Amino acid sequence: MGDGLAAASHLCTAAFFDRPVLAVAPDLLGATIRHGPVVVRLTEVEAYGGVDDPASHAARGPTPRSAVMFGPPGRAYVYLSYGVHWCVNIVCGPPGQACAVLLRAGEVLAGHDLLRPRWPTLPERDLARGPGRLGRVLAAGPTMTGTSVTGDGPLTLYRPALDADPGADPAAVTRTARATRIDSGPRIGIRSATERPWRFWLADDPTVSGPRRPPARP
DNA sequence: ATTATGATCGTCT
DNA sequence: GACGATCATAATG
């Protein structure tokens, strides 16, 4: 391959996403997502709990927009944020639960030739820092909604390089093989269910968009 | 460094 | 017609 992906070229399977969203979300940290020549290592995600989560777009049942989340896991849900930014989620869990993981930030590993001319002054660590900018470097758009991220669509997700056993059962892909600590805290930019610490990030990673320290324990 | 504001449009009421 | 799972820019301490 020659682009640095060799150590991380294990596809995330549909079974990887067919687990509780609170298990999938932290397991996506350190994973890489690719669209064409652009590759990003994920450093920050948020879990959304579907029908039981007031902060989720799926909270009030299926609508034309949220319908994809009610379908099978491993597909992309792309929505327009504030009329400006296209943000990427991955559907998780069994059909009907409408759980998803919002990809919030990452480190660009490949594709600089394409990206750098378009944002010549943006600091390296900011290229995919925040869900809007991450969606931007991935060229996310509405037509991506419903496409699979397990190999057949424009977006492809690869398991973390440190989870290197190709035959491992998805349920065994845990933090035990991970070198980096994971922190968690409240999700960003929402007004309900703010008590749920469902935002996850790689501790001390400079590409994380929000607060990099977990809230103080009372 | 932090804070304020405009942009901009699909989605749902 | 109102409201965002946000970001860039400008103004201010």
Side-chain angles (χ1 to χ4, degrees):
Chain A
M1 212 154 274
D3 59 2
L5 263 192
S9 56
H10 305 299
L11 280 172
C12 287
T13 63
F16 176 90
F17 297 103
D18 193 7
R19 295 181 293 146
V21 67
L22 289 181
V24 176
D27 279 350
L28 280 174
L29 296 175
T32 52
I33 186 168
R34 139 173 259 156
H35 184 203
V38 175
V39 180
V40 179
R41 171 176 163 266
L42 299 176
T43 60
E44 181 190 1
V45 300
E46 279 178 358
Y48 283 86
V51 289
D52 295 325
D53 181 1
S56 168
H57 291 165
R60 302 201 183 245
T63 66
R65 176 175 67 161
S66 66
V68 192
M69 285 195 281
F70 289 82
R75 309 228 265 227
Y77 163 53
V78 180
Y79 74 96
L80 181 62
S81 178
Y82 291 90
V84 180
H85 301 106
W86 294 98
C87 302
V88 179
N89 296 255
I90 314 298
V91 178
C92 294
Q97 275 192 202
C99 298
V101 176
L102 169 66
L103 311 183
R104 283 198 57 93
E107 171 196 5
V108 175
L109 297 182
H112 293 90
D113 297 350
L114 187 70
L115 304 176
R116 207 23 105 189
R118 300 176 67 173
W119 299 285
T121 65
L122 196 60
E124 172 68 24
R125 85 181 109 195
D126 289 345
L127 271 176
R129 189 173 186 223
R133 289 191 283 233
L134 176 53
R136 194 171 66 174
V137 302
L138 292 174
T143 62
M144 272 181 188
T145 284
T147 62
S148 167
V149 300
T150 58
D152 291 329
L155 295 175
T156 314
L157 264 160
Y158 302 88
R159 288 163 48 197
L162 291 176
D163 298 332
D165 180 3
D169 180 73
V173 179
T174 67
R175 273 132 279 185
T176 58
R178 202 188 306 279
T180 318
R181 196 175 79 248
I182 292 175
D183 282 332
S184 64
R187 295 171 290 183
I188 294 181
I190 57 167
R191 302 207 30 190
S192 54
T194 53
E195 75 286 353
R196 304 187 189 188
W198 287 3
R199 169 176 172 256
F200 302 90
W201 65 95
L202 292 181
D204 303 322
D205 193 292
T207 65
V208 169
S209 70
R212 284 179 221 172
R213 302 198 93 67
R217 296 229 52 183

